[in-house]
Amino acid sequence: MFIMADAKAVDFAKIKAEEGAAFAKPVQILDNDGKVVNKELMANFTDDQLVDLMKKMVWERALHEQTMSFSQQGRLGFYAPTWGEEASEMGTAAAFKKQDFMFPAYRDLPQLIQHGATVAQMYLWSKGHVKGNLFDARALRPQIIIGAQMVEMAGGALGIKKNGEKDTVAYAYTGEGGSSQGDTYEGMNFAGVFQAPAVFIIQNNGWAISYPRKLQTEAETIAQKGVAAGIPAVQVDGMDVLACYEVAKEAREFAAAGNGPVLIETLTYRFGAHSSAGDDPSRYRTKDEEKPWFDKDPLIRLRKYLTEKKLWSEDEEEKYVAECKDDFKKAMKEADSVEPEKVSDMLKRTFEVPTPDIKEQIKKYEAKESK
């Protein structure tokens, strides 16, 4: 005979409520007003480092503005804007070394340029020209398939380990939408199993095109998704370039020391459209939703701090922006001067040994191109 009782073996509601608690307080050094909230971590930065990080963010925003202008002129193909994500991208990118292997996605052109590619090469990549892939950086070409770079990066990290490379890691970026792809979890799981030196960076910018973060996953944080793969994870204020740099630097050191992979979730925001292809953010989000994020603008935050310390000025910034945009115009001129690709050349590269069908197509297009 069973006696009915109120005792329960598991409090599932409590478990669900507490799952994200360990990740719910992002690492932060500067608040929205440019005030220091973590003096111990702030002491890690020299004045020169602070100015350098400011210049990197100003450079990226200028790159975004000028590149969008080129795109609107019809001079580029696909381009993914980075307006608002400067702290997340430049802060993390600055923490890695040239020997590290980067696995970028299509929104990561600024980080790839910082890692060794040229602006002209990235413009060629956007145009779909093969010479846009011939950059001098230890990196794969930007991945278009959402989340696929996370699987590739896990394999690259294992290769680094198998080759016995010291002080070297693999690192990759995706958005919070990409974290919902099976590839991202598979990459984390693989890297965790083999304790590969990998740093997974998920830029939670709030939107997977027009699909909001709240409808992408029931998890309270993206960071907690590392738990199932046995990966230490952290959430960082993605509008604070100093916090992003410090967290990425420590993650890199941890992974490079042979401790296995790390997952970083940066809380950032995409101020504009998903891409230059034409989505209109005003159709899926309101000004009231956007305002709190514009108030967290990463450039304004660090600008306030540096200006107060007399390390930065409006005049310096305007001059630097003008210099950057002039460089970008020269880069576009260089990219425009490269001879356009022929369809026959593309077909010749499709297979190492062309198939009979491809051979026929090569002949067909060579005949057209010779006229």
Side-chain angles (χ1 to χ4, degrees), residues 152-288:
E152 296 170 337
M153 191 266 285
L158 181 58
I160 289 170
K161 181 177 181 178
K162 291 289 188 181
N163 290 335
E165 295 186 51
K166 303 299 181 184
D167 190 31
T168 305
V169 304
Y171 64 110
Y173 295 84
T174 192
E176 86 291 339
S179 74
S180 297
Q181 292 290 106
D183 296 47
T184 298
Y185 174 73
E186 290 165 15
M188 292 193 298
N189 189 62
F190 183 93
V193 168
F194 289 100
Q195 289 294 281
V199 179
F200 296 84
I201 303 170
I202 296 176
Q203 298 193 96
N204 180 356
N205 69 14
W207 295 88
I209 308 184
S210 60
Y211 212 64
R213 153 73 173 86
K214 63 185 177 182
L215 297 180
Q216 295 174 42
T217 177
E218 183 62 18
E220 184 176 342
T221 70
I222 305 297
Q224 70 197 68
K225 295 191 175 190
V227 173
I231 296 178
V234 62
Q235 199 177 56
V236 59
D237 181 349
M239 309 300 265
D240 179 356
V241 70
L242 306 185
C244 288
Y245 172 80
E246 189 64 27
V247 166
K249 179 175 73 70
E250 293 181 20
R252 186 200 176 278
E253 291 171 351
F254 181 89
N259 298 305
V262 176
L263 169 62
I264 300 171
E265 176 191 1
T266 67
L267 296 175
T268 184
Y269 197 72
R270 168 167 56 81
F271 285 165
H274 169 76
S275 78
S276 59
D279 70 292
D280 179 3
S282 68
R283 297 183 65 181
Y284 52 81
R285 63 192 192 197
T286 67
K287 295 293 184 183
D288 288 341

Side-chain angles (χ1 to χ4, degrees), residues 55-70 72-73 75 79 83 86 119-120 123 299 316-334:
K55 291 183 75 172
K56 280 181 167 60
M57 289 198 296
V58 170
W59 170 87
E60 180 172 354
R61 184 157 297 182
L63 177 67
H64 160 79
E65 292 172 353
Q66 189 61 59
T67 305
M68 281 298 290
S69 177
F70 290 145
Q72 289 161 359
Q73 294 167 18
R75 300 171 72 182
Y79 169 67
W83 181 28
E86 295 88 357
V119 177
Y123 285 160
L299 272 69
E316 285 178 274
E317 185 166 330
E318 289 180 356
K319 181 180 178 181
Y320 186 58
V321 168
E323 291 173 359
C324 289
K325 290 189 175 182
D326 185 53
D327 288 341
F328 303 150
K329 290 173 184 176
K330 292 176 182 176
M332 178 54 77
K333 188 175 181 180
E334 179 184 340

Side-chain angles (χ1 to χ4, degrees), residues 25-42 45 234-244 246-247 267 293 296 301:
K25 188 171 176 55
V27 176
Q28 186 182 67
I29 297 177
L30 285 180
D31 66 13
N32 295 350
D33 297 318
K35 303 298 182 184
V36 178
V37 294
N38 191 317
K39 293 181 179 179
E40 290 78 12
L41 291 180
M42 190 66 185
F45 294 90
V234 62
Q235 199 177 56
V236 59
D237 181 349
M239 309 300 265
D240 179 356
V241 70
L242 306 185
C244 288
E246 189 64 27
V247 166
L267 296 175
W293 285 101
K296 298 177 182 180
R301 186 181 303 197

Side-chain angles (χ1 to χ4, degrees), residues 59 63 98 109-126 131-137 327-328 330-332 334-335:
W59 170 87
L63 177 67
K98 293 301 181 184
L109 303 190
Q111 302 98 294
L112 185 51
I113 294 169
Q114 291 291 323
H115 199 51
T118 69
V119 177
Q121 287 167 334
M122 292 300 91
Y123 285 160
L124 284 168
W125 179 85
S126 177
K131 289 189 176 180
N133 295 320
L134 304 180
F135 44 78
D136 185 19
D327 288 341
F328 303 150
K330 292 176 182 176
M332 178 54 77
E334 179 184 340

